[in-house]
Amino acid sequence: MAALRMDTGPGSARDPLRILIIDDSPEDAGHYVHQLAQINRGICCHHAELGEVGARLLDEFQPDCVLLDYYLPDMTGLEFLEQYRPQVPVLVITGSAEQTVAAHVMRAGASRLLYKGGLPGGLLHEQILECVHEHALRGQLALQRQRMQAVLDSTGHGLLFARPEVAGWTVDFLNPAARELLGVQGGPLEDASSPLSAVLHLARQNRVPTNLTAKHAGRTLALECAPGADGFTVTVRDASLERRREQVDRARHRVLHRFVESRAHPEVLRDLQDLIEATLPGVRGHLLTGPHLLRWPHLGALDVRVDHSVLRSGDAPARFVPGPEGGWALPVTATDEDALLGVLVIEGPADLDVPGALQDVVGLTTLLLMHTRDQQRLQFQAWRDPLTGLPNRSVFMDQLQRELHGLPRSRSSLAVGILDLDGFKGVNDTFGHAGGDALLIEVGRRLNLAFRASDLVARVGGDEFTLLLTDWLDPGTLEADLHGRLRQVLGAPFELEGTPVPIRASLGVAVAPRQSLSPDGLLHLADRAMYRAKRAGGGLHVSTEVPLPT
């Protein structure tokens, strides 16, 4: 085993990013370490030449991410993933471009498949950061699912999910209350005469929610069965329980059921209102989130502050706010950060013990809103460049393909541009990578402001941006228009650490359908035009070439 370790330099993070490199080539491993060191010195790397040694270092080193060579002397990367199942993101690096390799390693748990050819340090560093961030978000989602499962398990009423089979029914999920009340276990449902079988058959015949009351094991059970996409959700309760408890659990079930089924947000909110009324009869309430919460006239009474469009709660307690649109305000706060997700506004008298009575409703609402927040963050991470917030290459290529598909039916043109900053390495050398990142963020912001809302500005890596300019009715005005927009972006110097820094850029443009209707063809022409602009000292070059036939 060979070990490579890059100690953190001055000013690096106190808790450096830990990378485990499993590669039988010390030269390749050293190359990766050197590339990463140029981007971020706050990285600690260990190297193993064998898969077995790498597996041992997984426990000893506890890395944040693994760079795994696909071909190792003692096993393949696929065998390593299947045998050791790392609980951290794994980037598999291979010289092969076979699609079967990509499919197999991704199914085995790899986060990315990268090819050794053309793997610059900046791209490798970005891929590592994206995978680590995505892994953290998935961990948060898994924790929320565990918490939601705990809510289901703790309810006093039974809850199960069953799906029809050729010879009967199979129970895929049931909580302890359902197991105790019905005397069933997970798996095939054997007793065809049981109340559970009866309500399932009725619901299957009618395809509507079905209620059934039946005697079972000395108890009177009330069963409610609701059809779903691929099975049936059944709630069961002891009919002798208090009426209000019955209504509360049924309303809670509806909220969870609609949320798990990814129903429209207004439907979930309506069921949440029903849950509030079931918990406190005669009391109404509604949930405020997002822009509706920001416009709520009594927000200031909760002592919250707005920080970069995020509401900070400051542990805001429940309060009674008198007057129009007032009532009890129950803050819904994320448990993992100081953020106010929403406010439950309850219409009720000031002397009512609303906060205590609705504690379970607030807890359930917190789980739902945190789950929605984390889903949105994960989706944003998948489609956005993490540094600038601009769309990434995947979004750009998808939009370009759609626009080109519809172009023959229209009378307009579209333009594809590739913009590269001139002298970006000098900015990094002078102001460090933090200065380079600040420049990229500001360039992305200015590009968004300079171009139309119908245009698409994306960052595809490093200091390279792509432009998709749609609905261009007069191609003759394109060059003059782009010169004007480039002046808006680059005319004023960029301020880095208090120093005005002039920046130049090279922009190459290709036009469809005049030159090509192929995404690869247009990008190739735009790339060649960009290099012509760069050789001419920067600025704009609109391609007049026609791509070679493929």
Side-chain angles (χ1 to χ4, degrees):
M1 178 188 76
L4 293 173
R5 186 174 182 86
M6 180 177 66
D7 294 328
T8 57
S12 61
R14 294 177 60 187
D15 187 14
L17 193 66
R18 299 183 299 276
I19 309 296
L20 173 59
I21 304 173
I22 306 176
D23 195 314
D24 63 336
S25 169
E27 292 79 10
D28 285 349
H31 178 62
Y32 300 147
V33 172
H34 178 70
Q35 284 183 315
L36 295 173
Q38 292 181 320
I39 303 298
N40 181 0
R41 292 195 57 80
I43 293 181
C44 180
C45 297
H46 272 257
H47 173 225
E49 296 182 10
L50 297 175
E52 182 179 358
V53 177
R56 187 167 66 250
L57 284 179
L58 275 175
D59 295 328
E60 297 175 1
F61 184 41
Q62 295 186 349
D64 299 302
C65 186
V66 175
L67 300 183
L68 175 65
D69 187 16
Y70 186 79
Y71 293 104
L72 298 170
D74 57 338
M75 64 183 67
T76 66
L78 177 61
E79 291 169 338
F80 180 91
L81 291 167
E82 292 176 340
Q83 182 174 348
Y84 298 110
R85 300 190 178 279
Q87 299 302 305
V88 296
V90 178
L91 284 76
V92 177
I93 303 179
T94 178
S96 168
E98 296 179 4
Q99 293 297 321
T100 54
V101 171
H104 289 322
V105 298
M106 297 305 287
R107 280 198 297 267
S111 300
R112 296 281 194 284
L113 179 66
L114 305 177
Y115 299 109
K116 289 186 178 181
L119 187 62
L123 176 60
L124 179 60
H125 185 255
E126 288 180 9
Q127 293 285 335
I128 289 173
L129 291 182
E130 287 182 16
C131 289
V132 170
H133 187 63
E134 289 174 6
H135 181 75
L137 285 177
R138 288 192 177 93
Q140 293 176 13
L141 288 174
L143 179 60
Q144 295 308 317
R145 284 194 293 268
Q146 292 175 5
R147 290 173 175 171
M148 193 169 293
Q149 182 67 51
V151 172
L152 297 176
D153 288 346
S154 64
T155 182
H157 289 175
L159 179 65
L160 63 86
F161 180 82
R163 53 185 169 83
E165 301 284 0
V166 175
W169 296 87
T170 294
V171 177
D172 286 334
F173 165 82
L174 74 165
N175 66 354
R179 188 179 296 110
E180 192 271 334
L181 290 171
L182 293 169
V184 297
Q185 302 294 328
L189 185 60
E190 298 178 354
D191 186 0
S193 63
S194 68
L196 177 58
S197 296
V199 74
L200 286 170
H201 284 298
L202 283 174
R204 187 178 186 183
Q205 290 175 354
N206 300 328
R207 298 302 303 176
V208 295
T210 303
N211 298 322
L212 180 70
T213 301
K215 293 285 187 179
H216 180 72
R219 291 175 173 169
T220 300
L221 300 182
L223 298 95
E224 180 182 351
C225 185
D230 58 350
F232 295 81
T233 303
V234 179
T235 56
V236 55
R237 61 181 179 81
D238 190 331
S240 61
L241 294 178
E242 183 182 355
R243 175 68 176 174
R244 195 172 81 182
R245 176 66 179 273
E246 169 197 341
Q247 295 172 336
V248 168
D249 280 4
R250 190 163 56 239
R252 183 190 294 111
H253 162 68
R254 283 199 300 270
V255 173
L256 289 169
H257 178 71
R258 291 190 187 276
F259 185 80
V260 171
E261 290 287 324
S262 299
R263 297 294 185 90
H265 195 56
E267 292 186 53
V268 179
L269 292 181
R270 283 197 299 269
D271 285 330
L272 187 62
Q273 293 174 4
D274 293 341
L275 176 58
I276 293 170
E277 294 183 26
T279 304
L280 288 175
V283 171
R284 294 183 55 82
H286 58 280
L287 177 65
L288 296 175
T289 60
H292 299 288
L293 177 58
L294 290 172
R295 292 194 295 266
W296 189 50
H298 302 292
L299 184 59
L302 297 182
D303 295 331
V304 300
R305 65 186 188 277
V306 179
D307 182 12
H308 301 296
S309 300
V310 177
L311 289 174
R312 303 293 177 180
S313 69
D315 296 324
R319 293 180 180 234
F320 184 80
V321 182
E325 299 185 36
W328 279 101
L330 309 182
V332 181
T333 306
T335 58
D336 57 352
E337 58 185 42
D338 181 27
L340 189 70
L341 303 176
V343 171
L344 278 170
V345 179
I346 309 299
E347 303 170 8
D351 59 349
L352 188 65
D353 185 20
V354 169
L358 292 178
Q359 185 175 3
D360 181 61
V361 176
V362 173
L364 179 59
T365 306
T366 301
L367 288 177
L368 300 184
L369 292 183
M370 289 181 66
H371 185 87
T372 300
R373 177 205 62 183
D374 291 340
Q375 289 279 23
Q376 291 171 343
R377 287 180 177 178
L378 189 59
Q379 185 178 17
F380 183 88
Q381 177 70 18
W383 296 102
R384 292 284 173 172
D385 170 53
L387 177 63
T388 63
L390 294 173
N392 62 17
R393 182 181 183 85
S394 297
V395 175
F396 180 84
M397 294 302 294
D398 181 68
Q399 184 68 19
L400 175 58
Q401 186 70 55
R402 286 202 305 253
E403 294 289 345
L404 289 174
H405 181 72
L407 202 59
R409 297 190 298 271
S410 68
R411 297 178 180 272
S412 63
S413 301
L414 67 79
V416 171
I418 296 180
L419 183 143
D420 189 86
L421 300 183
D422 299 333
F424 182 69
K425 184 178 183 301
V427 174
N428 276 337
D429 292 342
T430 303
F431 297 97
H433 289 286
D437 288 349
L439 174 62
L440 292 173
I441 292 170
E442 179 61 15
V443 169
R445 189 188 72 82
R446 291 192 188 184
L447 283 170
N448 252 344
L449 291 175
F451 285 87
R452 304 169 302 172
S454 59
D455 299 330
L456 177 64
V457 179
R459 179 181 176 234
V460 295
D463 58 332
E464 187 173 292
F465 298 82
T466 53
L467 309 173
L468 176 56
L469 316 176
T470 59
D471 299 324
W472 217 277
L473 297 177
D474 183 5
T477 66
L478 176 62
E479 188 166 355
D481 185 273
L482 287 176
H483 274 298
R485 296 183 192 273
L486 273 181
R487 283 194 294 271
Q488 293 181 50
V489 176
L490 304 173
F494 293 78
E495 187 170 307
L496 300 176
E497 298 181 2
T499 302
V501 179
I503 296 295
R504 292 181 59 82
S506 299
L507 174 61
V509 177
V511 179
R514 183 177 68 196
Q515 293 178 280
S516 176
L517 279 172
S518 160
D520 291 337
L522 286 170
L523 288 170
H524 176 71
L525 292 174
D527 191 59
R528 287 170 59 88
M530 183 270 290
Y531 278 105
R532 286 194 175 93
K534 193 175 287 287
R535 286 193 293 269
L540 170 68
H541 183 83
V542 178
S543 174
T544 58
E545 292 185 87
V546 176
L548 294 175
T550 57

